[in-house]
Amino acid sequence: MDSTTTTSGATNDSRTRAEQAIAALRQERDATLKAFVGLSEADLKERIDWGASRESVQRRILAFTGHLIDHQQHLLRLLFARGRGISGTEYLWMKAAAEMAAFEVMCLALNDDDFTAQGPVEGDWSAEQILEHVTWTERSYRERILAGLDAVQAARTAGDGQPAKP
């Protein structure tokens, strides 16, 4: 789903309100990652003014992380209150998204020289090669799974309940 601009210059966004809000959050998270990814251990120990006290940057980042977890719990209660909950597929995507976030931060922590340098063992891939491989695999898995589901649906439509043989 995407947005388009009308002749009047207004945006005709075909995304749901939740998709639009998540896109805004992703922009903020991207800016946060870019701002924080280069912080050193010394930076984390620095004490900054926070309300009526001075706290370490590490403590504030920890509080920031806990804030999100608080609201995840709130959203889960909201889903259950509406008779929803999390499906097996949604749970897997939550875990995959968490791992993707960790993967992204590891990549973003590298400067260009370190990103393109080979690994420590002869023949190791660089971070850039790993990222290219994961990107290709992302597309490959998606396309193969969707093609498989299309084949199953076509077979069901044909009436035999079995996927067509290639």
Side-chain angles (χ1 to χ4, degrees):
M1 300 194 176
D2 57 5
S3 61
T4 56
T5 304
T6 65
T7 54
S8 66
T11 300
N12 178 14
D13 202 331
S14 60
R15 299 179 298 178
T16 66
R17 290 176 62 127
E19 289 169 331
Q20 292 173 49
I22 290 295
L25 175 58
R26 284 182 177 151
Q27 284 183 315
E28 289 299 326
R29 178 51 57 98
D30 187 47
T32 300
L33 284 173
K34 286 178 182 174
F36 290 170
V37 75
L39 294 178
S40 67
E41 291 299 318
D43 291 332
L44 293 176
K45 292 176 184 172
E46 289 292 340
R47 299 184 74 73
I48 59 172
D49 290 331
W50 199 270
S53 64
R54 290 183 60 78
E55 296 190 32
S56 71
V57 170
Q58 181 171 338
R59 184 172 177 87
R60 294 319 314 159
I61 291 175
L62 182 60
F64 167 68
T65 304
H67 179 256
L68 181 65
I69 293 168
D70 270 351
H71 290 293
Q72 285 175 333
Q73 183 181 17
H74 188 186
L75 282 171
L76 189 59
R77 283 194 318 264
L78 188 145
L79 285 169
F80 283 132
R82 286 165 175 69
R84 276 284 328 268
I86 299 295
S87 70
T89 299
E90 290 163 338
Y91 180 79
L92 289 173
W93 282 116
M94 285 175 16
K95 294 302 179 184
E99 293 305 316
M100 178 63 86
F103 185 84
E104 288 176 9
V105 170
M106 285 188 270
C107 290
L108 292 171
L110 300 169
N111 62 34
D112 282 348
D113 289 339
D114 290 335
F115 185 70
T116 58
Q118 296 305 118
V121 177
E122 188 173 332
D124 270 358
W125 287 355
S126 67
E128 181 176 42
Q129 289 169 311
I130 293 167
L131 187 55
E132 287 171 353
H133 170 76
V134 170
T135 301
W136 177 87
T137 303
E138 174 92 15
R139 182 180 323 107
S140 176
Y141 266 74
R142 180 183 64 247
E143 289 173 355
R144 290 181 69 187
I145 289 168
L146 291 174
L149 287 171
D150 285 347
V152 167
Q153 185 59 40
R156 285 190 180 133
T157 301
D160 65 5
Q162 297 295 316
K165 303 274 188 224

